[in-house]
Amino acid sequence: MVIMLKRKMFRDIRKNLSQFITIFLMIMIGIMAYSGIKAYMDGMSKTSDKFYSENNLFDLNVMGLLNHDDLNKIKEIDNVKDAELKLSVTATTDNDKTLLLNFIESNNISKFYVFDGIDFDYNKSGVWLDNFYAKENNIKVGDVILVKYETMQLHEKVLGLVNVPDHLYDTRDESELYPDRKEFGFAYMSTKEITEDYIKSLVMKQLNINDEQDLDMMIPDFDYKDYIPFSSIMVDVKNTKNRKEVKEKIEDNVENAKAIINREDTTSYITYQGEIDEGKTYVGVFSGIFLFIAMLSVITTMTRVVKNQRVQIGTLKALGFSNNKILFHYIGYGFWISIIASIVGLILGYYIIGNVFINLEMDFFEIPNGHPAMNISSYYISIAVILVVSIITYITGRSILRENPAETLRKKIPTIKGTALNITKKGFFKKLSFSSKWNVRDILRNRMRTFMGLAGVVGCCALIVCALGMLDSMNFFVKLQFEDLYNFDYKLNLKENLSSNELQLIYDQYGSNTSKILGIEIKDKNGNRESNNILVTDANDYLRFVDNKNKIKEKPTDDGVYVTYKLASTKGYKLGDKITWHIYGDNTYYTSKIVGFNKDPQNQNISMTRNYLESLKIEYKPDSLYTNNDLSKIKEIKNVETIQDINSLKEGMTGMLSMMKTMLVLIISIAVLLGGIIIYNLGILSYTEKEYQFSTLKVLGFDDKQIENIFIKQNNWIAVLSIIIGLPLGFYLTDWLFKTAIEEHYDFGASITLRTYIISAIGTFLVSYLVSKFLSKKIKKIDMVSSLKGNE
């Protein structure tokens, strides 16, 4: 008997192969989408945790003009495990590229991951170079590069190509959205490579002397290594629970400490973690929708498959098979297909989606050995899918088994209240053609099938709109940032501590439209402190303000501060509220009134004018200058660290958009594939259930073409209704993703073009129509005799 049931199962699967294939594909795609995106996000998280741990990312970064005395004071603080000095400067190369040059004495904190070459050695003369930068510029271990900074010109042999845990994401400044690895990278050297002449010149400038003999008289035993102006001290804390206490002690004991940054507040850490947090939302949205609409269709299909077997169930009961054996037989249909589909989905999700996505991220972030990581929740979801399909099959089979054998041996005729059918005899419906009336009645008879099909197609249409809309929104974001907010051709990043005369020389040649970023700490009413920054603008129309509707605002006033809309929303700030803050390195607190709000897509901070800053008795020293002069042929300007072209800043987004396009193409492909399968599956179910009615229509004299039109028309109705619902749903889904999933420093919502809506609508309808057209060909092959005698 068991063998007979197995043979029957295989025979039924062969007979209804297309339906079982769609069940397999829908489960496989749903599991693949969920497990793949989940594996990609968990892979990113585990990869960074391992990299941070094995390479000992610092816990605190102390900023200021620091020396060995400061280092020793920090090392003596309780719960400090280790600390290291670092000098970071922005240097250039012989081909006018930019390097963030770091001089260190040891490398036990934020240790190198060496791709090629040797580990750091204080006594070795050479440079350890950013692996990404080296690849982009075809630099190999053993090559010699020229590095220039002020009076230093260093010809250095490349000793190693490295990744460093605090350089996962590096840009030249806040105006760059995407790292340009060809033009900008980082490099490390021993402090032994710093030239004595350079340090002497710094000390002489500080002492306001011009002759080395005067220096020898003032400092007889001058050792230049004792006067290296280190810019930071990296601190490794024994127990992270005591980090706050260590931070407070450094503030109290180290006078030169201007700012102390937690590693979680660094740009590199925030950006990478933000990508993970965004992905967690995508797991719940994209993969959740894929899985949901797939399961809706699978449940509907399995229910219909079992109900269409009612005659066979009645026959098995009449032959003496027990109810349990019959139930387990039909549960096996969905159970085994679900298991196989889930296993295939898990494998494909890991190796296709997981690998593709994480490899794209590893091209964006400088982190080694990135690979997907299968999360246990993916296995739980797979088990849940198998159980749901099996339970639905069980419930459907049990409902049929409750009937007596005589009833189950006849096909079940759809039932519907006569009053519901009267709708086709009234008002607008009365004037419809026969085919339209017939389809209205069929929809009313099979409301659940229609609803499931509608839900599936709506979901796929919304996903396509969302995927394309995210790309539209990013393009709009680039326009807002680089055409509306930024109204300049070139940005000059000025060197620190320039004299008034040096600044004036630059102003005379390039104008005086400038700005400055101040690192600040905001104190709330409860005494809690939080890091942020203030943009001080004296750039006139070169830096613009926009409102929450992306309209350019008038020039800011000089009587208070402006807060970005998102920061105000996050912190609950209102117009007229006051903010208490101080500049890092200065313990003087200021209280400023909020006089307005502005939108900044990529920085959630505070803005003020130069006049307002100076009204607080704070000296204004610009760090950036904006000009529309043609600097295309100028590679270097005295007292300017870097020259940035607005077009190159804009082009920097190309890499990010390119990575995003690849991800979205994969998501769109899955959405279209799943949508096509769901529409095909809906068509098969619809056709199977209507076969008896189609046979009747044939007997009544309707030709194949007329019946085909009736069949296609209903599917077209569902497709059109799905598009009407799916298009706005796609917009709201995109807007919600941007407002909740993206990293908190960004602020932009959905901005979807008409073209996206048209493509999504036409694509959805075209897939539906082509599938319906293909299935309608089966009408010609209907065996009217067997169809009409099935209920006798």
Side-chain angles (χ1 to χ4, degrees):
M1 292 176 71
V2 174
I3 294 174
M4 187 179 79
L5 289 176
K6 285 183 178 178
R7 287 176 178 173
K8 177 184 175 300
M9 180 187 292
F10 289 130
R11 187 171 60 249
D12 288 339
I13 290 174
R14 284 197 302 272
K15 186 178 178 181
N16 301 281
L17 187 61
S18 59
Q19 285 180 278
F20 284 104
I21 287 175
T22 58
I23 292 171
F24 173 85
L25 289 174
M26 286 186 291
I27 294 174
M28 183 200 76
I29 291 171
I31 295 295
M32 179 178 73
Y34 180 89
S35 63
I37 299 177
K38 187 69 174 170
Y40 142 64
M41 294 318 309
D42 287 346
M44 282 192 68
S45 184
K46 289 185 177 180
T47 298
S48 64
D49 289 346
K50 182 180 179 182
F51 188 41
Y52 291 153
S53 175
E54 292 183 353
N55 294 76
N56 195 24
L57 175 64
F58 62 74
D59 293 303
L60 296 170
N61 197 28
V62 183
M63 311 293 290
L65 196 60
L66 304 158
N67 53 46
H68 285 90
D69 289 339
D70 298 321
L71 178 67
N72 293 330
K73 287 178 183 177
I74 290 174
K75 284 185 174 181
E76 291 171 1
I77 294 174
D78 291 339
N79 288 306
V80 170
K81 186 177 180 181
D82 197 6
E84 293 182 353
L85 285 159
K86 180 164 72 172
L87 168 61
S88 299
V89 296
T90 304
T92 56
T93 65
D94 54 345
N95 49 5
D96 297 307
K97 298 182 187 296
T98 307
L99 284 176
L100 179 62
L101 186 57
N102 303 274
F103 294 96
I104 56 176
E105 298 176 325
S106 56
N107 188 227
N108 297 316
I109 302 175
S110 291
K111 292 189 291 187
F112 300 164
Y113 179 93
V114 182
F115 284 90
D116 191 14
I118 62 173
D119 291 334
F120 177 76
D121 187 337
Y122 175 70
N123 295 307
K124 289 282 186 180
S125 178
V127 61
W128 284 263
L129 195 60
D130 175 356
N131 183 56
F132 275 38
Y133 174 85
K135 282 184 178 179
E136 287 291 329
N137 291 281
N138 198 29
I139 300 173
K140 299 179 178 61
V141 171
D143 291 350
V144 176
I145 63 172
L146 172 63
V147 182
K148 299 179 290 184
Y149 179 71
E150 294 191 354
T151 60
M152 287 193 293
Q153 290 203 7
L154 307 172
H155 290 84
E156 300 289 344
K157 181 180 178 181
V158 177
L159 300 178
L161 304 180
V162 300
N163 277 168
V164 185
D166 54 334
H167 291 280
L168 267 60
Y169 175 89
D170 269 339
T171 58
R172 272 182 283 204
D173 64 19
E174 74 286 344
S175 61
E176 282 192 344
L177 302 180
Y178 185 86
D180 185 352
R181 268 53 180 264
K182 191 171 183 65
E183 298 296 325
F184 177 75
F186 64 83
Y188 278 79
M189 294 185 198
S190 166
T191 52
K192 281 190 171 184
E193 298 304 290
I194 302 175
T195 62
E196 183 174 0
D197 289 343
Y198 170 66
I199 300 300
K200 272 188 177 181
S201 67
L202 289 182
V203 175
M204 290 168 64
K205 186 175 181 180
Q206 289 173 0
L207 296 175
N208 198 26
I209 57 178
N210 298 316
D211 195 327
E212 278 193 34
Q213 291 182 351
D214 293 335
L215 177 64
D216 294 336
M217 292 177 60
M218 295 179 71
I219 310 176
D221 300 320
F222 179 79
D223 184 347
Y224 80 97
K225 294 175 186 176
D226 295 334
Y227 292 89
I228 295 174
F230 290 98
S231 55
S232 65
I233 297 177
M234 298 180 291
V235 181
D236 184 12
V237 178
K238 290 179 183 177
N239 190 332
T240 53
K241 293 180 181 178
N242 298 315
R243 188 165 55 182
K244 184 178 179 182
E245 178 186 338
V246 170
K247 184 177 179 180
E248 290 173 350
K249 287 184 177 179
I250 293 173
E251 289 175 339
D252 294 337
N253 298 327
V254 182
E255 185 179 345
N256 291 328
K258 302 302 182 186
I260 305 171
I261 311 297
N262 293 332
R263 72 179 187 179
E264 292 85 1
D265 294 329
T266 60
T267 301
S268 174
Y269 191 100
I270 287 172
T271 306
Y272 189 88
Q273 190 59 43
E275 194 74 11
I276 294 174
D277 293 340
E278 290 171 31
K280 288 177 181 177
T281 304
Y282 297 152
V283 170
V285 176
F286 282 118
S287 57
I289 293 175
F290 279 129
L291 200 56
F292 174 71
I293 60 181
M295 285 308 299
L296 278 181
S297 299
V298 168
I299 290 168
T300 307
T301 305
M302 283 307 304
T303 302
R304 299 296 176 181
V305 166
V306 175
K307 284 186 176 180
N308 287 337
Q309 288 268 316
R310 61 181 288 107
V311 175
Q312 289 89 328
I313 291 172
T315 303
L316 291 173
K317 286 184 72 173
L319 290 173
F321 284 84
S322 68
N323 286 352
N324 285 338
K325 281 189 176 180
I326 295 172
L327 274 175
F328 282 115
H329 167 67
Y330 282 101
I331 288 172
Y333 283 62
F335 179 77
W336 292 110
I337 289 176
S338 299
I339 285 182
I340 297 170
S342 296
I343 292 171
V344 174
L346 288 170
I347 294 170
L348 293 180
Y350 182 91
Y351 286 104
I352 295 180
I353 296 180
N355 264 324
V356 168
F357 278 22
I358 205 164
N359 286 335
L360 289 170
E361 293 287 2
M362 294 306 102
D363 288 337
F364 184 72
F365 293 101
E366 299 211 29
I367 185 168
N369 302 327
H371 56 80
M374 189 62 75
N375 188 278
I376 194 169
S377 67
S378 298
Y379 298 111
Y380 289 152
I381 289 293
S382 300
I383 292 170
V385 167
I386 294 166
L387 288 175
V388 168
V389 173
S390 300
I391 290 169
I392 292 297
T393 309
Y394 168 80
I395 293 171
T396 306
R398 191 178 64 173
S399 67
I400 297 173
L401 286 168
R402 286 175 179 169
E403 303 176 24
N404 61 55
E407 289 177 343
T408 55
L409 286 170
R410 294 175 61 86
K411 287 185 178 181
K412 193 173 182 69
I413 304 298
T415 58
I416 188 168
K417 293 180 181 179
T419 53
L421 291 178
N422 287 337
I423 191 173
T424 58
K425 300 178 182 179
K426 299 175 181 177
F428 167 77
F429 293 99
K430 186 178 180 180
K431 299 176 182 179
L432 295 176
S433 63
F434 170 79
S435 62
S436 297
K437 289 180 181 178
W438 191 92
N439 278 317
V440 170
R441 289 181 172 222
D442 184 68
I443 289 171
L444 292 174
R445 287 192 192 98
N446 299 280
R447 283 170 289 186
M448 184 53 67
R449 182 198 71 210
T450 304
F451 172 77
M452 293 295 190
L454 187 69
V457 181
V458 164
C460 293
C461 180
L463 282 173
I464 294 171
V465 172
C466 182
L468 291 174
M470 289 177 73
L471 194 59
D472 287 342
S473 301
M474 289 299 293
N475 285 326
F476 177 79
F477 162 64
V478 173
K479 176 188 174 298
L480 177 65
Q481 184 74 62
F482 296 105
E483 294 180 21
D484 297 340
L485 288 176
Y486 293 168
N487 187 35
F488 55 84
D489 292 335
Y490 290 89
K491 177 182 178 182
L492 309 183
N493 295 300
L494 307 177
K495 291 183 178 179
E496 294 182 10
N497 302 318
L498 296 182
S499 66
S500 299
N501 291 335
E502 289 170 328
L503 279 173
Q504 192 59 50
L505 288 174
I506 299 175
Y507 292 164
D508 291 342
Q509 197 163 1
Y510 304 107
S512 58
N513 296 290
T514 60
S515 71
K516 180 175 181 61
I517 296 289
L518 293 174
I520 66 165
E521 201 169 46
I522 300 173
K523 184 168 69 174
D524 64 19
K525 296 176 182 177
N526 299 318
N528 299 317
R529 296 182 294 179
E530 191 170 286
S531 299
N532 208 306
N533 64 73
I534 290 177
L535 169 66
V536 184
T537 176
D538 189 33
N540 297 307
D541 194 46
Y542 285 74
L543 289 182
R544 294 167 172 168
F545 282 31
V546 298
D547 62 21
N548 219 14
K549 295 181 179 178
N550 305 316
K551 302 296 183 184
I552 297 173
K553 299 179 68 172
E554 294 180 3
K555 183 180 177 181
T557 59
D558 302 328
D559 53 348
V561 299
Y562 289 76
V563 177
T564 57
Y565 286 103
K566 189 166 185 178
L567 180 63
S569 175
T570 303
K571 302 300 179 184
Y573 295 142
K574 296 181 177 61
L575 198 66
D577 285 355
K578 293 185 177 180
I579 296 177
T580 301
W581 55 277
H582 79 96
I583 302 170
Y584 277 122
D586 183 350
N587 293 326
T588 305
Y589 275 89
Y590 303 91
T591 299
S592 300
K593 181 181 178 182
I594 298 175
V595 295
F597 301 103
N598 66 294
K599 183 174 183 178
D600 192 320
Q602 62 168 326
N603 291 301
Q604 304 317 308
N605 60 2
I606 298 169
S607 301
M608 66 173 63
T609 64
R610 173 181 178 172
N611 289 338
Y612 178 70
L613 180 77
E614 291 179 335
S615 73
L616 300 175
K617 309 301 180 186
I618 302 173
E619 185 181 4
Y620 175 77
K621 290 185 177 181
D623 55 23
S624 300
L625 183 145
Y626 310 94
T627 182
N628 288 330
N629 292 9
D630 184 6
L631 305 180
S632 57
K633 297 180 180 179
I634 297 177
K635 300 298 183 182
E636 193 172 333
I637 299 173
K638 186 178 180 181
N639 292 321
V640 171
E641 286 194 342
T642 56
I643 304 169
Q644 292 177 287
D645 179 356
I646 190 67
N647 291 322
S648 65
L649 292 175
K650 197 183 298 185
E651 288 168 5
M653 281 296 294
T654 305
M656 180 185 291
L657 292 175
S658 176
M659 180 184 74
M660 192 175 181
K661 281 178 184 177
T662 305
M663 291 183 173
L664 295 179
V665 164
L666 189 54
I667 290 172
I668 292 167
S669 300
I670 295 172
V672 171
L673 179 62
L674 186 58
I677 292 169
I678 288 172
I679 292 169
Y680 180 76
N681 181 62
L682 173 66
I684 291 175
L685 288 176
S686 179
Y687 171 79
T688 303
E689 292 177 353
K690 295 171 186 172
E691 193 172 358
Y692 179 83
Q693 292 96 316
F694 289 160
S695 298
T696 304
L697 291 174
K698 278 195 172 189
V699 170
L700 292 173
F702 285 80
D703 60 33
D704 291 339
K705 192 70 175 177
Q706 288 175 306
I707 299 172
E708 284 179 18
N709 289 337
I710 291 172
F711 176 71
I712 292 172
K713 180 180 282 188
Q714 185 179 137
N715 288 341
N716 286 348
W717 286 0
I718 292 172
V720 170
L721 184 58
S722 298
I723 290 166
I724 292 171
I725 299 172
L727 294 182
L729 186 63
F731 171 85
Y732 288 116
L733 177 61
T734 309
D735 197 56
W736 180 82
L737 276 172
F738 274 124
K739 289 180 177 177
T740 59
I742 62 172
E743 199 265 314
E744 64 178 10
H745 286 282
Y746 293 100
D747 179 20
F748 51 94
S751 181
I752 302 178
T753 63
L754 179 62
R755 184 183 67 174
T756 288
Y757 290 121
I758 293 172
I759 290 172
S760 302
I762 292 176
T764 303
F765 184 83
L766 195 59
V767 171
S768 175
Y769 178 78
L770 291 175
V771 170
S772 301
K773 194 73 176 173
F774 172 76
L775 288 171
S776 68
K777 302 301 179 185
K778 290 178 175 283
I779 292 171
K780 296 178 182 178
K781 301 176 183 179
I782 291 176
D783 184 348
M784 289 188 291
V785 175
S786 60
S787 295
L788 292 172
K789 289 180 68 69
N791 251 9
E792 291 183 2

